[in-house]
Amino acid sequence: MKISMRRSRRAATAVALGAALALTVTACGDDGSGAGGDKGSEGSGKGEIVFWDNNGGVRTEIWKKIIADFEKANPDIKVEYVGIASTEYQSKVDTALQGGGLPDVGGVGAAMLAGFAAQGALEPLDERVGKSSLNGKLNKDMVESLKAAGGGDDKLYSVPTSANNGVLYYRTDLFEKAGLEEPTTWERFFEAADKLTNKGKNEFGYTIRGGSGSIAQALDAMYGQSGITSFWNAGGDKTTVNDPKNVAALEKYAALYKKVTPAADLNNDFTKMVAQWDSGTIGMLNHNLGSYQDHVKALGGEKFRGIPQPVGSGGKRVQVSNPVDGLGLFKSGKNKEAAWKFIEFATSKAENSRFNEAAGQVPSNTDAASDAWISKAEPTKLAADALSDGSTTIVQLPYYLPDWNTISKADNEPNFQKVLLGKMGAKEFLDTMAEQLNAAQEEWDQQNG
């Protein structure tokens, strides 16, 4: 009974988060000895702290501005910024968990949260939030989403900074020239991908994500086409990823590779994919709100639109959940008081709004969520509308499983590349993933039953 109640709460969190969206390696602290299990200390509240950015390069500029603001407001604290690419972040933290050298503060999104929390690496933050200026100012649904991802103890291990949403970006000028309708349905999407491709001129209808981060995008395309609305069966013990409808959907999606996409897409992570689309010869791109500003800089605001994912044949839109991002306080830190001051400052109204305007994402601070820039960022506004008009169902991915990030990255990204290359069938690929997920869920149920 406890298990089903927990699972129901997770499902409710997914719906609530959708509604919320609609409404709107170096040494640590003092001596660098921090490792998983090290209890650390509160410290003096002054001196140096180390911050690991989990999206280094992409967010470096905005984080350096926030750090400059913080150091001006807190002249007795210095923040050492370490930008780590999102594709390398988990391995960096895992290495530090075993050998030492964890930072004081780090980016900790929902997708990685359970694994870090299970190793005792993160400080529970509920009490600190309750005593801070953030009390009552954090989006409740983002908080609940991170609590649900934490592994089942209902504690908050990461202060939310932002929420994201899947977006289909398309070139309005190329669509108009080709006489194509807006790709609001999967049928129109596949038609446009084919019609906009002219390999002789190096023009392609779509760019597919074949490298790091490919699994979540593939799942989005699968569930979006199949219309299946739950990641687990009615009993909650078997995943639906290898449902025949999802298998057929993945076959159709993977068949796009090299037919209407560049061959280089096989190794695309999101930075390569975004840069390639911004070069101007590709019709469509699936990413999220986070790359909106990159497209504006590269293409201007008149040559593209960012719309919600296509709807299926029944007129319903199904999307997989995008993880809430946040900031975690590592338990091994030797100056937790200063590190917490940084987290509190970074998620204050002004700084949280500043960060999310640069990232094109939805602020976690409820005071920031009403700022004028949000209504001017069309993809954010359209995503919010789609989540409030009843047309969208969110399939909540199992971020609470400690093995989720490993299963969805290291274990299966190489296999997805085999699918794209025709060396593995979609059914074999999804059956393999399903076996791993079902085993992980069974283990989680045993530990939390």
Side-chain angles (χ1 to χ4, degrees):
M1 183 65 178
K2 288 182 180 178
I3 295 171
S4 63
M5 286 177 68
R6 267 192 293 269
R7 204 166 284 129
S8 296
R9 187 166 66 245
R10 289 195 298 272
T13 298
V15 174
L17 180 56
L21 284 167
L23 293 172
T24 47
V25 176
T26 66
C28 76
D30 293 340
D31 62 7
S33 62
D38 185 346
K39 292 183 180 180
S41 63
E42 285 298 308
S44 65
K46 301 178 182 180
E48 183 178 297
I49 60 172
V50 176
F51 165 53
W52 283 8
D53 176 9
N54 61 347
N55 202 355
V58 178
R59 302 285 175 250
T60 297
E61 184 179 348
I62 185 60
W63 272 121
K64 286 193 171 180
K65 289 178 180 177
I66 292 171
I67 289 169
D69 287 350
F70 175 75
E71 291 180 340
K72 185 176 181 180
N74 298 270
D76 53 359
I77 303 174
K78 179 173 176 55
V79 180
E80 181 182 341
Y81 170 87
V82 180
I84 301 172
S86 61
T87 53
E88 301 173 5
Y89 190 75
Q90 182 177 3
S91 63
K92 291 283 188 183
V93 175
D94 285 340
T95 298
L97 279 168
Q98 301 306 316
L102 284 167
D104 299 280
V105 181
V108 182
M112 298 183 187
L113 180 53
F116 296 164
Q119 296 179 76
L122 297 168
E123 186 90 359
L125 300 174
D126 303 80
E127 186 175 341
R128 293 179 193 267
V129 170
K131 294 179 178 179
S132 77
S133 61
L134 298 176
N135 188 31
K137 297 297 184 180
L138 295 175
N139 182 291
K140 293 179 181 178
D141 300 308
M142 294 187 200
V143 169
E144 286 304 313
S145 183
L146 287 175
K147 282 187 175 182
D153 62 3
D154 204 36
K155 292 181 180 178
L156 182 67
Y157 291 102
S158 180
V159 174
T161 55
S162 56
N164 221 332
N165 201 50
V167 176
L168 176 60
Y169 294 102
Y170 76 98
R171 288 287 301 276
T172 51
D173 54 343
L174 300 182
F175 269 70
E176 184 177 351
K177 184 178 178 181
L180 290 165
E181 294 183 275
E182 190 173 54
T184 53
T185 68
W186 283 102
E187 183 179 3
R188 290 182 184 176
F189 166 83
F190 284 106
E191 177 191 357
D194 185 62
K195 193 167 183 179
L196 291 173
T197 299
N198 186 331
K199 294 181 182 179
K201 294 184 178 180
N202 199 37
E203 296 172 350
F204 297 93
Y206 186 59
T207 175
I208 200 168
R209 189 167 183 169
S212 179
S214 60
I215 303 302
Q217 184 166 311
L219 292 174
D220 214 10
M222 281 165 42
Y223 282 92
Q225 292 175 75
S226 71
I228 295 171
T229 58
S230 175
F231 195 79
W232 300 101
N233 65 2
D237 60 340
K238 303 293 181 186
T239 181
T240 59
V241 294
N242 60 337
D243 183 283
K245 291 182 179 179
N246 275 335
V247 172
L250 184 61
E251 287 174 344
K252 189 171 184 179
Y253 178 72
L256 294 172
Y257 175 63
K258 283 210 304 188
K259 180 184 177 184
V260 299
T261 79
D265 282 6
L266 184 69
N267 297 307
N268 270 355
D269 58 14
F270 88 91
T271 53
K272 292 175 184 175
M273 183 177 65
V274 167
Q276 186 169 259
W277 192 72
D278 286 347
S279 69
T281 61
I282 299 173
M284 293 180 292
L285 161 76
N286 274 119
H287 192 228
N288 55 46
L289 294 169
S291 60
Y292 173 65
Q293 295 296 342
D294 295 315
H295 309 320
V296 172
K297 290 176 184 177
L299 302 169
E302 304 302 319
K303 292 184 178 180
F304 79 95
R305 291 191 79 198
I307 63 174
Q309 299 284 51
V311 299
S313 56
K316 285 285 185 178
R317 179 180 297 102
V318 177
Q319 294 182 212
V320 300
S321 54
N322 275 270
V324 174
D325 206 2
L327 295 172
L329 184 66
F330 283 93
K331 190 177 290 185
S332 60
K334 301 301 188 292
N335 199 351
K336 294 179 190 176
E337 184 180 341
W340 171 252
K341 286 179 183 178
F342 176 69
I343 293 177
E344 184 179 5
F345 183 87
T347 48
S348 65
K349 177 186 185 297
E351 302 301 328
N352 189 239
S353 181
R354 188 178 190 180
F355 174 84
N356 282 284
E357 183 173 11
Q361 298 174 175
V362 181
S364 61
N365 189 298
T366 53
D367 288 341
S370 60
D371 284 355
W373 67 263
I374 294 177
S375 62
K376 297 176 183 177
E378 187 189 37
T380 302
K381 185 177 185 302
L382 291 177
D385 291 343
L387 290 165
S388 64
D389 65 11
S391 67
T392 303
T393 300
I394 301 295
V395 176
Q396 179 73 355
L397 298 179
Y399 302 125
Y400 61 90
L401 292 176
D403 292 336
W404 165 250
N405 225 40
T406 301
I407 291 172
S408 65
K409 295 184 78 65
D411 287 356
N412 286 290
E413 285 177 352
N415 282 345
F416 182 65
Q417 290 181 319
K418 292 180 181 178
V419 175
L420 294 179
L421 292 170
K423 296 180 179 180
M424 177 182 281
K427 186 177 187 305
E428 180 185 357
F429 168 72
L430 292 175
D431 282 346
T432 300
M433 186 185 295
E435 184 178 351
Q436 296 167 333
L437 287 163
N438 293 339
Q441 180 64 41
E442 182 179 6
E443 181 180 357
W444 192 90
D445 283 346
Q446 289 172 352
Q447 293 176 352
N448 294 274

